[in-house]
Amino acid sequence: MFRMLSRAVVGHPWRVIGLWVVAAAIIVGLAPKLTTTSSEVSFLPSHYQSVQAANLQKKAFPQAGTPAVLVVVESKNGRPLTPGDVSVLDRAQRVLAARRIDAVSTVEPAIVSKNGLVGVIPVQMPNAQGQLTTAQTDAVLTIRQDVASLMGGSVLRAGVTGSAATYVDQQKSGTNAAKVVAIATIGLILALLLLIFRSPVIALLPVLAIGVVSQIADGLIASMSEAFGLHIDSTVSTMLIVVLFGVGTDYVLFLMFRYRERLRAGAEAKDAMVEAITRVGPAIATAAGAVIIAFLALTLSSITLFRSLGPALAVAVATTLLAGLTLVPAIVSLLGTRVFWPSRAFQREPEAPRFQAIGSALGRRPGRFAAVSGGVLVALAAAAFSFHPSFTLTSGKTSSTESALYSKVLLRGYAAGAADPTDVYLESTDQTRIPAAALTAFGASLSHVRGVATVAPARVAEHGTVADFRVVLTHPAQSNAAMATVRGPLQGAADRAPAGTRPLIGGITSVYVDLQAAMGHDYALVFPVAAVLILLILALLLRSAVAPWYLMGAVGLGFGGTLGATVLVFQHGTAGLTFILPIVMYLFVVALGTDYNILMVSRLREEARAGQGPHAAAAMAVRHAGPTIASAGLILAGTFASLTLAGGATLTQMGFAISFGIVAAAFVMAMFLTPSLTALIGHRAWWPGHGDQAPTSSAPGAPGATGAPGATGAPGATGAPGAPGRVGPAWAAGRGAGDHAGGDGSPLAGAASGQPADRRAPASRSSDEG
């Protein structure tokens, strides 16, 4: 299949490029705008209590709810507000109300805290949860402009906070973050590719190609999101940049290392590209398949955020894979060896002394390498048991935004939960009016709950069948203490509702409680399913029932070590790490860690098939595949590390965790742990398929036989310029260079970076080092 694909791409490069251009124009031109949300309640299924409470609020109190905008006022000297200051505050409220700002339903009367330090003008904005409309966003900006004008020249300073204002600030910072991440990612890729290949052409190649691919992927994701009603988190756009450029550059690296290797073996440019796709294509496709399957496992999640995130990232990786096997080879086949301009290093064989030394040491003492590398990961994994999740996607954003600054000012006069109060609803089960005495008694019981600061009098719907008790907690809404209050004593008090009524607890803290319950379900389902699917891929790939288990065990250690390192770096002094971190990190670390293991084990098997013993095969695999894995891991880790420049806690934690996990996967698991374990287990690692045994289907020296001295130059053999028996270029017809490589027809023979098994002399082997 890959040989047919390679001949079609290399034989008709302009057609391939034209198809990509046409596809980009159609998809980008017809795709809707990708909309995102940061509302946690929109990520939960309808059977959760917080969602049912939100739906009841919209039905019974359509014009009410938690104020989406809070105008917070304080004195510049930090003293309590004077009667004159309160007059200024009241006048500002009247002016805002008289403006009749579009998308604003009510500007409520100004209130002053009991200690007199803070004044607040609550502003109601219906349906302001999650994605705001343009009118709602404009309303927030208008209120900010008016408040600044009204307070000008007074001794007061004011700012706007609340959920709607936080969303506006988040969108602005998110847009800026995406620009910063894109610049940092592209700059890093250019610098590293220049360092590896010493050619501006090859450095620009993946950037330009993936730039086109990213537009196609964005269009496909937006269309999919609109068609299936997916809730895309506001961080996805930034993550897509990193996934596309990071993973895409890795695939280009795998291809270009093999292309350069075939050129060094003496192949013509087009034949070299055919062989590169044929040999490394299965490894790239399998690696991408593992990533895609891991992402698609998220569709089993009970949280719509993950069910949307998985397909979005899977589409991005699938599009990148297709480009890596078609668009990039088509461009390179047109450029030929000019792709390496002005460097001539592709013509010379590098010595790779560092990786040769590492490989030799590992081959001599695999037990020591396994113990040290595994021990480091185990030690870090111990810290993972102290992981505490934080269930807000907006906490930890940069404190310089107006909404963040004035949410802190609000705390000077009100309880920590005042900005995001909890609502306890009572709904009549027989549609009769709830008695006033029952409401009074129920409100009194709520006020005696530990962790509750205040309970407002019941607000009763017009028909009298629904009542709302506004409850302010003593702790911040997103804190573990607030969640414990809602989950425990407040839920217990609500369950003692009057006869004939049904209680529902709403508000953001209730959402966090439900998210925590949903995450427990997902940890128990998504993790095992993703692991089993990747295990099956490895078993089919390696034809072994043994190797996949210790490979997945190594990747599992990498996951634990990565989570532990993230806990040690970020969790101290905070409420916890973002709740989405373990699943996203698990999928990236497991899937991408498997990629590098696939490349290393494929090369290791190739060395074993060439006649090397287990220890020698491990040493040679590290020597020859090590440079490719190190380069790819460095680029991918660097691109994910650029997420730490985004300025928000969620992306900063994810950027560190994923980049650390990739470093662990490339430089600890694939480089040391996997080859050392394979060397220790020996031939049993390949049971029952015995994939390490040399093929016996062809006699030594026969045409096309692998592993035979003197095979080079035989009909169909690789590497000999002007080889007898070659009847035409490999990209044009029938049989070409390397048609018989691998001997048994296995698509993985030679799939790892490095030379095919028929070049046995170590002195003539090609390393993948740049």
Side-chain angles (χ1 to χ4, degrees), residues 54-145:
N55 293 334
L56 179 61
Q57 181 266 317
K58 292 179 182 178
K59 175 183 176 183
F61 306 99
Q63 299 301 319
T66 301
V69 174
L70 297 174
V71 179
V72 181
V73 180
E74 67 172 345
S75 174
K76 292 179 180 177
N77 57 24
R79 297 175 182 174
L81 301 179
T82 65
D85 297 335
V86 176
S87 297
V88 174
L89 184 63
D90 289 337
R91 183 174 66 87
Q93 184 272 337
R94 291 193 298 270
V95 171
L96 290 175
R99 284 286 309 272
R100 298 187 181 278
I101 301 171
D102 189 24
V104 170
S105 60
T106 307
V107 179
E108 298 179 0
I111 55 177
V112 178
S113 63
K114 290 182 179 180
N115 60 14
L117 293 176
V118 178
V120 177
I121 303 175
V123 179
Q124 294 285 358
M125 189 180 292
N127 302 318
Q129 293 85 20
Q131 180 81 22
L132 297 186
T133 64
T134 301
Q136 290 170 328
T137 300
D138 292 342
V140 173
L141 299 178
T142 300
I143 292 171
R144 281 180 167 165
Q145 293 172 356

Side-chain angles (χ1 to χ4, degrees), residues 508-535:
I508 197 64
T509 306
S510 179
V511 172
Y512 298 152
V513 170
D514 288 343
L515 278 173
Q516 191 171 47
M519 287 299 298
H521 165 272
D522 289 354
Y523 289 155
L525 178 63
V526 176
F527 281 18
V529 168
V532 168
L533 291 175
I534 294 176
L535 194 71

Side-chain angles (χ1 to χ4, degrees), residues 14 69 84-85 98 104 144 151 227 252 263 267 272 302 327 336 443 448 464 509 546 579 582 604 752:
W14 283 114
V69 174
D85 297 335
V104 170
R144 281 180 167 165
M151 298 299 167
V252 172
L263 290 174
S302 60
L327 179 61
H448 290 99
T509 306
V546 177
F579 75 96
L604 198 152

